[in-house]
Amino acid sequence: MMQDRTQGIFLQNDTSSQIAVADNAFVWLDAIKLPNATSLALRSDSNHTRYISLREVPHLERITNANALPLVVHVDASDKLTALHIEGPIEHVDICWHGGGYTHSCASASSQVLLLPVHEVDSHRELIGRFDAQALIILFAIDGYPGPTELSLSTHAQVVVYQLAELKQLSFTGERTALVEIKNCQALAVVTGAGECIQLYASGGQELLISGNWREVALTSCRSKALTIEAAATLYIRGHCAIASVHLPELLMVVNESPGWFIEGGLPEVNESTLLGLQNSLTSLTANDKAAEASLVEKLLGAVRQCSRPKSLYHALCLLSLMAEKLPHYHEEILQARRDLAKQANRWQFERDRETDAWVADLELWHWFIAHNQQSANTFYLNLLTQHKLAQPAQYALVTVSLKFQNELILQRVIRTYNKALITESKLLLPAMKGVQERLWLAFSSLSKKTQLLLCKYFLISVAKEELHLAGAKLLQIAPHETRITAMHLANLIPERKALYLAVAFSAVAPSASEAALTWVTKPTVKKPEKCQHLENNWLENLQWS
C-alpha cells in the first residue's frame, strides 16, 4: 500500500483475501490486481467523500463502510466473476465492461449497491428482497454466459439490467419497484410489473409490451416497431425512434423529444367514447359528494389537456362547457385549461363536419363565464375571435349562442359592426350567411326594440337591390314603425338605393305573408368585390366588451 501527496492510496498486487483501509486523510483509493481479495473494509473518522477505483478484482464480494463515508465508485468489471455488495451511501457509481459501460448518478445517494452477475440471482434473492427503494441492483452477464431468456425479481430497489442479449421476458413481482433501467437488451419483448419509472435504452425487439402499472415510461433510441403500454401516466420518447404502431392508454401523456419521430394519428389521444363517458360521469355527479367532485374534476382537466388535434378539440370544448355550467366554482381552473388548450394545439382547426358545433361549444363556454362574472375570459375570447378572423362557422356560432343566452349586448355589437362595414366600406353583401340570417329572423319578434332597429338596418342593407323590396315587405309585417324609420335613415346614407328605401318607408299596406316570403335568404348572393375582402377578416376589430 502506497500513499502520495494528493491524499491518495495505491493498493496493488496484494494477495490477501481480506483487506482493510483505515486512514483519516485519504481522499481516493486505487485498488489494482487483488486476485484473492473477497472483502475490502473502509474506515475513517473524516466524513468527506472518498473516490474508489477497482480494477482486476475478480473475486471481491463486499466493501464495508463502517463510518458511512460518502463514496464515488468506479468498477472495471471486465473480469468480474462474482457479485459485489457495496455499503453506502454511494453518490455515484460507474461500471465498465469490454465494449461498454454504465453510469448511475442519483438525486440522492444509494444506500447500497449490488453488482450482480445474472447467473447468481437465485443465490441472492433473500438479500434482494430486503433492499429498500434507495438500494441499487445492477444485473449483468459475465463473459461466456449468454444470460437467461426469462427473469423474475421481487424487490423495492432500483434495478438496472445491462446487456442481457438473450432476455425476452422480464417480470417484477410483489410491491412496486422504485426504478427500472434496461440497457442494450435488444431481444426484450415483455416487461411486467408495477413501479415508479421504467427506462429503456436501445432495448426492445420488434414488438414491445410494457405490462402492469407504471407512473412513467421512457424510451431512448429503442428500435421496436410496435409498442403496447397497458397502464402509465407519462411516456417519454427520446433519441432515434422506429415505432410505427402504438396501443396506449387513453389518458397517457406523451412527451415526444425525438426530433425525427411522428406518426400521423399515432400519438395517443383521448378518444370520443372516453370523453363522452366523462361527460356522463359529470352529468350524474352528486352535488354533495365533494371528494368525488374533486377527483372527477382532476380527471376531466387531465383529459382536456391531451386534446390537441382537430378530432378531439370539439369534445374537449364540449366537456369544458359542461363543466363551466355545472361547476362554476371551478371557473378559474376551467379557463386556465381553455388557455392551455389553445397553446398546445398545433393549428386551431376543427374537423370540417364539426367546425360549427365546436365554435358553438366554445362560445357557450364563454357565455357561462360571462354569466358568473368571469371578466378575464372576455379579453381571451375577443382576442381569439379576432385572431381567427371569425370565419362563417364562428359568425353563425356567435349569433346562435348570443340568442340562446339572450345576450343582446354581444348581438347588438355584432350587428352594429356589420352595418358599419356595409355602409361605410363595401355597401354590398358580405359572404352569404343563410343560417345566421334565418336565426336572426326567427328571433326578431322576441328581441328588444334597440336590437330590432339594428336588425332592420342589417336586413335592408345586406341584400341585393333586386331583393330589397321583399325584405322590406317582410319587415313591415312585423315591425312597421322600426322598418320605416330605418328605411328613411338609409335613404339619406346610401344615395344609389334612395328610391328603393323611400318606397319601403312610404309603403301604405304590408303585403301578405305568402307574397313576402323571404326568398332573398335562399337565393345566390352578389359576389363580393376583392376590395372588400379585408372586411370579412377584420370585422370584429371594433367589437369591444363593455
Side-chain angles (χ1 to χ4, degrees), residues 79-373:
D79 58 353
K80 196 77 182 74
L81 300 176
T82 60
L84 173 59
H85 183 196
I86 308 172
E87 295 180 359
I90 300 151
E91 296 177 344
H92 173 95
V93 61
D94 60 84
I95 321 291
C96 69
W97 293 269
H98 292 303
Y102 173 78
T103 299
H104 188 92
S105 296
C106 292
S108 58
S110 300
S111 60
Q112 49 196 322
V113 170
L114 178 61
L115 184 61
L116 180 62
V118 70
H119 68 276
E120 292 192 12
V121 166
D122 287 342
S123 61
H124 287 78
R125 288 194 183 277
E126 183 179 354
L127 175 63
I128 291 172
R130 296 199 305 266
F131 280 175
D132 60 17
Q134 281 70 50
L136 173 64
I137 302 168
I138 302 175
L139 292 167
F140 68 101
I142 64 173
D143 289 346
Y145 183 80
T149 58
E150 297 183 6
L151 180 63
S152 176
L153 298 171
S154 179
T155 182
H156 292 283
Q158 305 169 56
V159 178
V160 175
V161 181
Y162 181 82
Q163 207 162 326
L164 300 185
E166 304 297 323
L167 184 63
K168 295 182 179 179
Q169 184 168 333
L170 176 63
S171 60
F172 295 88
T173 61
E175 300 296 329
R176 294 177 68 85
T177 306
L179 169 71
V180 176
E181 289 190 21
I182 303 170
K183 189 170 183 178
N184 297 341
C185 298
Q186 298 180 359
L188 188 64
V190 179
V191 182
T192 304
E196 290 301 301
C197 180
I198 180 169
Q199 302 174 355
L200 286 84
Y201 301 85
S203 297
Q206 289 291 308
E207 297 183 0
L208 177 62
L209 167 62
I210 299 178
S211 180
N213 191 341
W214 304 87
R215 182 181 60 82
E216 180 181 299
V217 177
L219 305 180
T220 302
S221 297
C222 294
R223 300 303 180 94
S224 299
K225 301 291 185 182
L227 172 66
T228 301
I229 298 177
E230 288 188 353
T234 308
L235 168 65
Y236 291 91
I237 301 290
R238 302 183 177 111
H240 177 80
C241 183
I243 297 172
S245 65
V246 293
H247 299 279
L248 305 175
E250 292 171 340
L251 296 181
L252 176 70
M253 181 177 73
V254 173
V255 180
N256 182 13
E257 299 176 356
S258 176
W261 181 63
F262 178 76
I263 309 172
E264 183 64 38
L267 291 174
E269 280 281 353
V270 180
N271 61 33
E272 182 174 342
S273 61
T274 300
L275 288 168
L276 291 175
L278 290 172
Q279 288 186 39
N280 292 335
S281 298
L282 180 57
T283 302
S284 59
L285 181 66
T286 303
N288 296 327
D289 193 345
K290 297 302 180 183
E293 178 184 288
S295 176
L296 180 59
V297 167
E298 183 178 358
K299 291 181 181 178
L300 295 170
L301 295 178
V304 167
R305 292 188 188 100
Q306 296 174 65
C307 300
S308 59
R309 295 198 298 273
K311 185 175 182 179
S312 59
L313 284 176
Y314 164 68
H315 296 288
L317 294 171
C318 290
L319 190 55
L320 287 176
S321 181
L322 183 61
M323 289 178 68
E325 177 185 0
K326 296 185 68 67
L327 304 170
H329 46 291
Y330 282 99
H331 273 185
E332 288 289 346
E333 293 85 351
I334 296 169
L335 179 56
Q336 185 58 50
R338 178 62 186 85
R339 290 192 179 106
D340 294 342
L341 194 63
K343 292 177 183 177
Q344 72 182 36
N346 294 329
R347 299 180 302 276
W348 191 250
Q349 296 177 353
F350 304 111
E351 289 186 306
R352 182 168 297 180
D353 61 340
R354 289 266 176 85
E355 186 173 9
T356 299
D357 292 337
W359 277 109
V360 168
D362 200 9
L363 295 174
E364 283 186 352
L365 174 59
W366 180 22
H367 279 273
W368 287 119
F369 288 142
I370 292 172
H372 292 86
N373 297 316

Side-chain angles (χ1 to χ4, degrees), residues 9-24:
I9 295 177
F10 287 100
L11 183 60
Q12 188 171 5
N13 296 320
D14 192 321
T15 58
S16 304
S17 61
Q18 298 181 351
I19 300 173
V21 176
D23 190 314
N24 291 337

Side-chain angles (χ1 to χ4, degrees), residues 239-532:
H240 177 80
C241 183
I243 297 172
S245 65
V246 293
H247 299 279
L248 305 175
E250 292 171 340
L251 296 181
L252 176 70
M253 181 177 73
V254 173
V255 180
N256 182 13
E257 299 176 356
S258 176
W261 181 63
F262 178 76
I263 309 172
E264 183 64 38
L267 291 174
E269 280 281 353
V270 180
N271 61 33
E272 182 174 342
S273 61
T274 300
L275 288 168
L276 291 175
L278 290 172
Q279 288 186 39
N280 292 335
S281 298
L282 180 57
T283 302
S284 59
L285 181 66
T286 303
N288 296 327
D289 193 345
K290 297 302 180 183
E293 178 184 288
S295 176
L296 180 59
V297 167
E298 183 178 358
K299 291 181 181 178
L300 295 170
L301 295 178
V304 167
R305 292 188 188 100
Q306 296 174 65
C307 300
S308 59
R309 295 198 298 273
K311 185 175 182 179
S312 59
L313 284 176
Y314 164 68
H315 296 288
L317 294 171
C318 290
L319 190 55
L320 287 176
S321 181
L322 183 61
M323 289 178 68
E325 177 185 0
K326 296 185 68 67
L327 304 170
H329 46 291
Y330 282 99
H331 273 185
E332 288 289 346
E333 293 85 351
I334 296 169
L335 179 56
Q336 185 58 50
R338 178 62 186 85
R339 290 192 179 106
D340 294 342
L341 194 63
K343 292 177 183 177
Q344 72 182 36
N346 294 329
R347 299 180 302 276
W348 191 250
Q349 296 177 353
F350 304 111
E351 289 186 306
R352 182 168 297 180
D353 61 340
R354 289 266 176 85
E355 186 173 9
T356 299
D357 292 337
W359 277 109
V360 168
D362 200 9
L363 295 174
E364 283 186 352
L365 174 59
W366 180 22
H367 279 273
W368 287 119
F369 288 142
I370 292 172
H372 292 86
N373 297 316
Q374 190 72 27
Q375 296 298 323
S376 58
N378 298 325
T379 301
F380 171 79
Y381 274 97
L382 289 172
N383 289 339
L384 176 74
L385 293 171
T386 303
Q387 174 187 350
H388 291 281
K389 315 294 186 189
L390 207 64
Q392 291 183 38
Q395 298 174 19
Y396 176 88
L398 187 58
V399 172
T400 298
V401 175
S402 298
L403 290 172
K404 175 181 177 179
F405 284 80
Q406 299 179 349
N407 192 329
E408 291 195 36
L409 176 59
I410 291 180
L411 184 60
Q412 289 168 10
R413 301 259 173 166
V414 172
I415 302 305
R416 189 178 292 113
T417 303
Y418 270 129
N419 292 343
K420 180 179 178 181
L422 288 165
I423 294 173
T424 62
E425 303 275 353
S426 67
K427 301 179 183 178
L428 287 174
L429 182 65
L430 286 178
M433 296 183 300
K434 174 183 175 182
V436 171
Q437 291 179 342
E438 290 175 342
R439 284 189 172 270
L440 290 171
W441 186 258
L442 291 171
F444 190 97
S445 59
S446 64
L447 299 173
S448 67
K449 295 299 182 183
K450 183 176 181 180
T451 305
Q452 287 183 355
L453 278 169
L454 289 171
L455 284 176
C456 285
K457 191 173 185 179
Y458 168 71
F459 285 135
L460 290 175
I461 62 179
S462 65
V463 295
K465 288 183 180 180
E466 60 271 20
E467 297 165 358
L468 195 151
H469 68 286
L470 292 175
K474 187 65 175 178
L475 289 169
L476 284 168
Q477 276 195 305
I478 55 174
H481 178 67
E482 290 77 9
T483 303
R484 289 190 173 93
I485 291 176
T486 303
M488 288 292 293
H489 176 63
L490 292 175
N492 295 322
L493 285 178
I494 308 176
E496 61 268 30
R497 292 192 176 192
K498 183 173 183 177
L500 296 173
Y501 287 134
L502 288 176
V504 172
F506 292 109
S507 293
V509 180
S512 65
S514 60
E515 294 173 340
L518 202 55
T519 56
W520 51 273
V521 172
T522 60
K523 287 184 179 180
T525 56
V526 177
K527 184 178 179 180
K528 179 178 59 176
E530 291 184 4
K531 68 177 183 178
C532 302

